Amino acid sequence: MNQATYAIEIQGLSKRFGTIQAVDRVSFSVKRGELFAFLGVNGAGKSTTIAMLCGQLKKDSGEILIGGVSPTTHGEQIKRSLGVVFQQSVLDRALTVRDNLESRAALYGIYGKELARRLTELSELLELDSLLSRPLGKLSGGQQRRIDIARALIHRPQILILDEPTTGLDPQTRRSVWQVISRLQRTEGLTVFLTTHYMEEAAEADHVVILESGSVVAEGTPLELKNRYTGDFILLYGVTEEEVRSLGVPSDRVESIPDGWRIGVAHTKAATDLIVAHPHIFRDYEIVKGRMDDVFLSVTGKTLSEEAGGET
């Protein structure tokens, strides 16, 4: 594969813990500069895969290339190319924000004027000026998440790995964190590797891989996955149940919603055909694509948004 095109290349990656096959011949690629979503329920193998990517866990077999080189032969180079925001913060709550970032920078040999420049850049980017002198433990959840991101970026990585970065945050704070991440992609050209339980976040990805029991079971763009696994839905308003039944749609494809009905169809043409055949019923309606929740449920038989917590 072209090293200039791909930030991460995984081929036949496997890892076993005793009798448990945590990761089973997983293969995928992540293009430079894209937002890549890596999805799976707890225990699917996401964290194990990330640990092998970061060099924290030795693989049993397969190949990992980060920026075209192997962690086995270029461990230090890869360490500097990755920034990781873990689900649980690894910062010291007793230290100030500045002390946390300075101690992290020291691990990469960043001191003096170079450190001052980087702190200024990150302060402007993440709005940290008013936070630098405050103890981390005194900050809100959203503020602490911004510091986690700053810590991961202190050494100017090319790839940012986000392991459920917005879990536990309120919707407004989640939105704020994602505004920061989008800004980083634009200003620093970052490749973002995301795991999340929020399907609206996965829906914004450039490419999605779904993992189940350690194996890749589906991948593609959100639109490709929606077309492949869910079809379209007609949201029909202001009609009676009898009118809906007269459409001849199987009952398992019809769902009651506030003020109307959600009708599943195979594709947009099928929706159009139904509307043309029954114009007197379709007085008020919308046609929408399936959701990423529908994709995940179709592929795995489970609902990802109900999952929470850590995994192997």
Side-chain angles (χ1 to χ4, degrees):
M1 292 180 179
N2 189 333
Q3 293 182 11
T5 301
Y6 292 97
I8 300 172
E9 301 169 56
I10 304 295
Q11 191 66 242
L13 187 63
S14 294
K15 182 66 181 179
R16 177 183 289 273
F17 298 103
T19 60
I20 299 173
Q21 188 70 49
V23 177
D24 188 11
R25 292 167 293 178
V26 164
S27 299
F28 61 84
S29 298
V30 181
K31 290 182 178 179
R32 291 184 184 276
E34 78 176 356
L35 172 59
F36 178 93
F38 196 47
L39 308 181
V41 297
N42 295 333
K46 303 189 306 296
S47 291
T48 301
T49 301
I50 290 174
M52 289 187 283
L53 277 176
C54 297
Q56 297 175 324
L57 190 63
K58 186 177 180 180
K59 60 184 171 63
D60 290 342
S61 60
E63 185 177 29
I64 300 172
L65 296 178
I66 308 293
V69 299
S70 169
T72 305
T73 56
H74 295 75
E76 188 60 32
Q77 177 181 335
I78 287 175
K79 177 183 174 183
R80 297 191 71 91
S81 73
L82 296 177
V84 186
V85 176
F86 297 99
Q87 185 177 349
Q88 300 297 326
S89 178
V90 295
L91 295 170
D92 191 325
R93 293 174 58 83
L95 295 180
T96 66
V97 170
R98 183 183 296 277
D99 288 341
N100 266 289
L101 296 179
E102 287 182 350
S103 63
R104 180 65 179 178
L107 297 177
Y108 293 92
I110 303 172
Y111 302 99
K113 292 182 179 179
E114 183 184 1
L115 174 59
R117 282 195 300 270
R118 190 55 175 157
L119 285 179
T120 297
E121 291 170 352
L122 292 174
S123 293
E124 292 175 355
L125 187 65
L126 300 169
E127 300 178 356
L128 305 182
D129 277 342
S130 63
L131 306 178
L132 288 174
S133 61
R134 296 175 61 184
L136 188 83
K138 299 293 186 180
L139 304 184
S140 69
Q143 290 170 331
Q144 289 186 32
R145 220 57 182 137
R146 294 197 339 245
I147 310 308
D148 283 322
I149 294 171
R151 167 200 164 276
L153 295 174
I154 196 75
H155 60 293
R156 302 182 189 276
Q158 287 85 51
I159 301 168
L160 181 63
I161 297 177
L162 301 172
D163 191 7
E164 299 183 28
T166 58
T167 296
L169 300 182
D170 63 81
Q172 183 176 354
T173 303
R174 282 170 52 203
R175 191 178 308 114
S176 175
V177 168
W178 271 106
Q179 287 171 348
V180 167
I181 293 168
S182 297
R183 195 181 315 134
L184 287 168
Q185 282 194 278
R186 293 193 306 270
T187 60
E188 305 216 349
L190 276 177
T191 302
V192 178
F193 185 107
L194 168 74
T195 76
T196 182
H197 283 107
Y198 297 110
M199 289 292 92
E200 67 270 26
E201 294 179 352
E204 298 300 317
D206 298 299
H207 196 81
V208 177
V209 163
I210 299 176
L211 209 62
E212 170 73 3
S213 300
S215 298
V216 174
V217 291
E219 70 172 302
T221 67
L223 180 59
E224 288 169 346
L225 292 173
K226 290 174 185 179
N227 285 337
R228 192 180 310 152
Y229 293 105
T230 71
D232 288 9
F233 292 90
I234 306 170
L235 305 183
L236 182 57
Y237 306 107
V239 295
T240 65
E241 184 175 353
E242 183 179 0
E243 287 178 306
V244 173
R245 284 196 190 124
S246 73
L247 298 174
V249 178
S251 59
D252 63 347
R253 300 292 288 160
V254 177
E255 175 189 359
S256 176
I257 61 173
D259 300 319
W261 303 85
R262 187 173 186 248
I263 302 170
V265 292
H267 41 66
T268 305
K269 184 179 183 304
T272 302
D273 292 343
L274 198 61
I275 293 165
V276 169
H278 304 274
H280 60 290
I281 294 177
F282 289 90
R283 300 179 292 270
D284 187 5
Y285 66 90
E286 301 174 76
I287 302 176
V288 298
K289 290 289 181 188
R291 304 164 298 194
M292 285 301 297
D293 287 287
D294 299 312
V295 170
F296 196 86
L297 181 61
S298 176
V299 170
T300 69
K302 302 168 186 175
T303 303
L304 182 59
S305 56
E306 293 177 354
E307 292 284 327
E311 58 128 332
T312 58

